[in-house]
Amino acid sequence: KRKSKETPAPKALPKRAISPMCGSMESSGSSSEVLTFRGDPCTLYLDDETSFRGYSFGAKTCKAGEVVFNTSMVGYPEALTDPSYRAQILILTFPLVGNYGVPDESILDELGLPKYFESDKIHIAGLVVSEYSWTHSHWAAKRSLSDWLTAAGIPAMYGVDTRMLTKKIRETGALCGKIEIDSLESIPFDDPNKRNLVAEVSTKEPVVYNKGASTKIIAYDCGMKYNIIRYLAREHNVELTVVPFDYDLEANPSKFVWDGLFLSNGPGDPAMCAATMKSIKHALSLDPPKPIFGICLGNQLLALSAGAKTYKMKYGNRGMNQPCIDLRTSRCYITPQNHGFAVDTDSLPADWRPLFLNANDKSNEGITHSSKPFFSAQFHPEAAGGPTDTSFLFDKFIGTVRGEVQPLNLLNPMHYDTNLYKKVLLVGSGGLSIGQAGEFDYSGSQCIKALKEEGIETILINPNIATVQTSPSASGADRVYFLPVRAQYIQDIILKERPDGIIVSMGGQTALNVGIELYNSGFLEKENVKILGTQIPVIEATEDREIFSEKLAEIGESIALSYPATNIEEAKEAANKIGYPVLIRAAFALGGLGSGFAANDDELVKLAKKAFTTSDQILIDQDLRGWKEVEYEVVRDSRNNCITVCNMENFDPLGIHTGDSIVIAPSQTLSNREYFMLRRTAIKVVRHLGIVGECNIQYALHPESERYCIIEVNARLSRSSALASKATGYPLAYVATKLSLGQDLVSLRNSITKTTTACFEPSLDYCVLKMPRWDLKKFNRVDKTLGSSMLSVGEVMAIGRNFEEVIQKACRMMNQALPGIEGDDSNLVDEKIALEEQIKIGQATDTRLFAVQAAFERGYDVETVFQLSKIDRWFLSKLKNIADMRAASMNHSLDSLTKIPNAIRALKVSGFSDRQIAKYVKSEEITVRKARINLGIKPVVKQIDTLAAEFPAQTNYLYTTYSGSENDVETAPAIDERSLKNKGVMVLGCGAYCIGSSVEFDWCAVSATRQLRKDGFKAIVVNYNPETVSTDYDESDRLYFEELTLERVLDIYEAEGAGGVIVSVGGQIPNNLSTPLSNNGVNIMGTKASDIDNAEDREVFSGMLDKLNINQPKWSVLKTTKEALKFAEDVGFPVLVRPSFVLSGAAMRVCINNTQLENFLGEAAEVAGDKPVVVTQFIMNAKEIEFDGVAQNGTILNYAIGEHLENAGVHSGDATVVLPAQKLYVKTIRHVKKYAAQIAKGLNISGPFNIQFMAKGNYVQVIECNLRASRTFPFVSKTLDANFISLATQVMCGLQVKPYRISLLDIDYVCVKAAMFSFTRLRGADPKLGVEMSSTGEVACFGANAQEAFLQSLLSTGFKLPTKTKNILLSIAENEMQSEFTDAARTFEKLGYNLYGTTGTAAFYEKNGIKIVSVKKPEHEDDEREGGALKMIKDGDIDMTINIPEGTSRKDEITAGYILRRASVDFGSSLITNVKCASMLAEALEYDTKKEKMAPMNLGEYHKMPMMGGWGASN
């Protein structure tokens, strides 16, 4: 023993001391103090001679005890006051602790017990956590956790790798330990199991509760939790006499009258309770017998008293998610537990039986007598600090005591009633759109995998050609139909394929709506096709607000005040009944389509008119903006087993669509009571509705009470389902599919551990943050206000061990230009709008987060920002933390920062990137990296295993963090002699879906990964998009859910010792990393980084084309605005402004005059940064051609040539692409092939590439070249039955390859790819096409010719044909376009359509002998004159609008055209804005009237069509 007056160095240890990985930086004072960890240095010593360093909070004292862990994610006040934890040092595996503070101990319930606690004191010896939250936030909090521990004299420490510690206890068993603060005297170890802990916690005198009640129960207090008293005395109205553990029941000195005996929980070894067992044995001997019920320790005492044995478990079961099977019914319940001993089932006497079984470790969880009323449970049916799913055991006990006939529990006969399906039709979601994106590719792929495992023939209808699920493969669907997801097409497929089941829950609202239509028509019943999973009446009950409200009322739950309306007058009446403001929503709509807030009748009428265009019923809801929004993912099987897999909390208060909100999993600011209150409700609702499979329930929770209401239930897989699957590692879609086939949760295995059951609730030892990705800057006039209608196009998911870490990671993932979360330096804060206006609730935009951060950087305090935003104070305190650390860092140089102990580590733990730190200290990223590594600061690799390390899991699902001390997986050896195949190849994924980089790049990444594994390479995937198939851990050998930044990719590359990196299959983000990675010694697979740069750099590439004598539009590098204007004057307007190294035409603009050119040059320079901006001559009326290829060492192996239907000027991602090309001259094709070959050779391409050409006549020019996969790769690969990415992957790995046999001229079918747009959601955006991409997704369909394929593709985008009124409005700006459309106008007239035209357009066609009615152009947005075009659209009298704005620069045309286009989108009139597409539609409709109806054809049938030389069959 020694005592030090100063803080000493860590005490010498015989074995291994684990350094502190440190935690929260919440501090104040000088810059050095801000970057220093709060609390005294301290150590957790274990009796196996290892130790863990950290920092103290709570009482400044030393304590010893047994070290145990608890996997609960909430409930620390309840756990710490649980007498069963007596004298134990408790490790909480969930890393963020202290968030919601500690409630007021003086608040008592009606029994006089502290309302929020399980006893009157803290029983643990000490507390160990990863991250302590010095700032707490909760309406019920009285003080902080640290203050509470201090008052109780209990030490605690943070900064410990609790996952590492949990794994240690898991492997070695419970250990004795001690927490010592360095500056205090050392203490000896102490094994509390040698003491009679029950004697320490038991009451000393009998206490009677609810005196006078007729039913009288004696409860032995061996450490009884207060909630047991509440359940018995309050819930069941018994007189409860609580007696000491050693009360002699046989002598009964107090003469207590009793009808039943209760045995409580308690700490320690049950063998220590001989006095208690003596009384139990007396009770067991009574004749007639009196009912006995035991819990936890009571289960062990009952077993020992009956003559059985108990044993010490390796590390016990402690947590809130232990699955226990009722051996009477096979039902499985999620139970809370806290025990270190268990009953030996084999030792039970002959007349005793096991009652419950742990579904994971198969240990005993309860016993019962075969004929007498004695039973017990090892778990806590009543736990406050856990689920109460088994509280019916109290009902059984008290009912037995009262002589009530107990319900007979039998196995559900449905157990044996399982349908055997042979063939199932899966309905996909179609093209990606806002509100329905890539999450359904992931869900559908999981569904197909589950079906195929069961040997079920799987048929898929989905026109989304870019997805993984529509890929022909051995593990994919047996047959894929690229057809519109519409009832008629599905009926045709059913009549051809004759499936016996159909799944409509994996394709979003699109599939659900068509499923409802098919069901209600009686077609499915007639054809004997069963809906798998949740049945349609149940789905309708959740979608129809009135039915839903009635269903909830049946079980005492309620939705927010809401009324349905079927017309405007009903809507106004409902709104006035509720009181303004109100929320207007369309029923049966996805992503909040057609919704918004109205403050008065006028606003309501405007919104309601738009909403009625998307649905026959609208909903008027109470405005709950400012309440917390919380959601739970729930799974239920047909045997009524029901679990919640994940709960999530929105960072933003209610009022912003959850798809547009930052979401945190698990919830961070909910107390235990709130968490389990909402969980209990979720299970009750789902069971009552009868949902089978997976669903999502959303709540509004009052921020200052426990009031809540249900917002909605989605009885299908949703975007939250994909997020929850990736956040927890629990594959919801896969499990839901198995359940829809009649399987049960208990028999399914946890897909990560392989040994434990799927009937469990995941424990997270990390936190997850989802951040939306918007692309609103791409749209002119768009309203950026976030509200009830979703606007985001994608999302990212960050994983870490504290909030600062995950929000910083997420910012970098969401926007590659950001080094972390920044305020003013983000360049996203609008300087023209007052900062407070940008923060206010109800006025949030896509940049509000950065405005909040700017406020903290400018000195605002948390309370001020809270009052403005209503974002919870806890979240705001974390953001302020980041701002304080940023400010402190900026006072230092790199040299001085490295001299502050742990400063760099503290910054890294809080999520600061090397690039961020470099910016603050005026250094370079790589310099900071080297300095950090020299200090020994590297991230560690952690696993996601669903059970917080409680059970072993050989999972390859990984993330990196600085909040840790050891890697969970083996990293590269110091001397690495492995082969390339064993070292592995890293595949960099696509990142967040955005306009220009979507699911097509996930298809590319998955194709590359599958080919690597097929060829024997270890495949390592890095991506952070939860919507993707590439982030399914089954797809790769190792999956890193991580950033695609230079820092993180280098970290992973070095940790893995990877042999190389593929950057060319994930779009622009990984492609832009090629040079920085190469410069840092990374082996870039395939085309060299320098050649990639040469293609991306507009100036270098254009120079190369000139040297090769390849035609291109005239160009000039921007140096000054004056030079650009001179260039435009020389070549003539229009000109094209093009920045380098950008995706989807970002900041690319066509300029038609000097003013536009000057404006756009500034924007392009800002986007390009230090990269060149080129000004190019823009060629009018040219045809655009797409060339996709794979080359090896500069020689092209395979290629595909597609043509755009629209002329050049429409971005290739928005264009309609025809493959094989139908209208190209042979000479044009020769030029294209020749130029492509020259470019491939000039850039020495090895891998995938894409070149865009334009042709006018036979004059071919190059637009650009991308040395990576393009968005058309899945389109050409599936059309030609030749996977270009598989071939390119083999090329990049240096393998011998054999090109596919493709002859484009011999293909006897046509595939047309059409773009999906989401203008209906983008309020105010101008729905016209240009050189910057606008589409959010794509579809493609096949046909005998281009017309047939075009029409089906158009229908697949959701386009409505003009069949309601047959009225078509024409408004074509220029005479040239009017002339071009003349034949099409005649065709429409011939087909029986009624033509209306704005004044000039009508006059032109009247002269050409076409019957057309003249209508007035609108002069403003409210111009509703009779006989006006705008009024006709708003009144629903126009089915389709053809507005061609091309070529015009007159102000009145732009204004009137915009109003017509916008009104068409808002009021449900189909819109076409391109003359080529409008003409093709006329041709296609004419062809459709003449063609013979045939059975639908699947992809395989097209590929097998007879061709010259058998080209198709060869691939």
Side-chain angles (χ1 to χ4, degrees), residues 1119-1169:
K1119 290 176 183 170
T1120 66
T1121 303
K1122 186 177 179 181
E1123 286 180 14
L1125 292 170
K1126 177 70 169 61
F1127 172 80
E1129 184 184 326
D1130 291 343
V1131 301
F1133 284 104
V1135 294
L1136 183 65
V1137 178
R1138 305 161 61 88
S1140 300
F1141 297 88
V1142 297
L1143 181 70
S1144 69
M1148 193 186 290
R1149 294 287 190 277
V1150 176
C1151 308
I1152 59 175
N1153 55 44
N1154 285 343
T1155 305
Q1156 286 189 356
L1157 180 57
E1158 288 181 33
N1159 291 339
F1160 290 151
L1161 285 173
E1163 185 180 337
E1166 184 180 314
V1167 169

Side-chain angles (χ1 to χ4, degrees), residues 21 904-905 908-909 929-930 932-941 960-967 971 1047-1048 1051 1054-1055:
M21 34 128 247
I904 296 287
R905 182 177 293 278
K908 299 307 289 183
V909 165
R929 179 181 181 81
K930 288 175 181 174
R932 164 173 66 77
I933 291 172
N934 286 339
L935 291 170
I937 301 169
K938 293 182 180 180
V940 293
V941 179
T960 67
T961 180
Y962 286 88
S963 289
S965 302
E966 75 165 5
N967 293 305
T971 53
E1047 176 183 343
R1048 188 60 69 243
D1051 289 337
E1054 290 168 3

Side-chain angles (χ1 to χ4, degrees), residues 407-598:
L408 188 61
N409 292 304
L410 296 173
L411 191 67
N412 190 330
M414 288 290 291
H415 194 93
Y416 300 100
D417 184 23
T418 55
N419 289 308
L420 297 176
Y421 296 96
K422 294 180 179 178
K423 186 188 286 189
V424 168
L425 173 62
L426 171 63
V427 183
S429 62
L432 271 61
S433 60
I434 293 175
Q436 188 167 277
E439 62 270 13
F440 297 109
D441 183 29
Y442 167 70
S443 299
S445 298
Q446 289 275 305
C447 176
I448 292 168
K449 180 168 75 172
L451 291 171
K452 297 287 282 183
E453 283 180 1
E454 300 301 319
I456 294 171
E457 194 175 349
T458 307
I459 314 301
L460 171 67
I461 176 174
N462 191 351
N464 192 336
I465 204 159
T467 58
V468 175
Q469 67 176 254
T470 55
S471 291
S473 69
S475 59
D478 293 283
R479 286 180 290 289
V480 180
Y481 287 86
F482 286 90
L483 290 169
V485 183
R486 297 194 175 194
Q488 184 56 56
Y489 289 92
I490 294 174
Q491 286 176 3
D492 291 343
I493 293 170
I494 288 172
L495 292 174
K496 177 184 174 183
E497 293 283 355
R498 295 295 176 184
D500 40 22
I502 184 171
I503 295 176
V504 298
S505 57
M506 304 281 173
Q509 198 70 39
T510 300
L512 208 58
N513 286 349
V514 80
I516 291 170
E517 185 182 345
L518 287 167
Y519 176 85
N520 289 335
S521 71
F523 177 82
L524 296 178
E525 185 178 11
K526 179 187 168 195
E527 300 302 327
N528 199 27
V529 179
K530 299 277 196 307
I531 294 274
L532 272 66
T534 302
Q535 297 302 294
I536 295 298
V538 175
I539 292 168
E540 288 183 307
T542 62
E543 297 278 341
D544 186 299
R545 209 63 178 163
E546 203 163 1
I547 300 172
F548 186 51
S549 181
E550 290 169 2
K551 284 280 187 185
L552 292 182
E554 291 169 6
I555 53 172
E557 298 294 339
S558 65
I559 58 173
L561 200 55
S562 177
Y563 296 101
T566 55
N567 57 54
I568 298 292
E569 287 308 311
E570 284 182 11
K572 286 166 70 174
E573 184 182 338
N576 284 286
K577 198 184 292 185
I578 293 169
Y580 285 107
V582 293
L583 169 64
I584 292 92
R585 299 192 297 140
F588 299 92
L590 61 93
L593 180 62
S595 67
F597 292 95

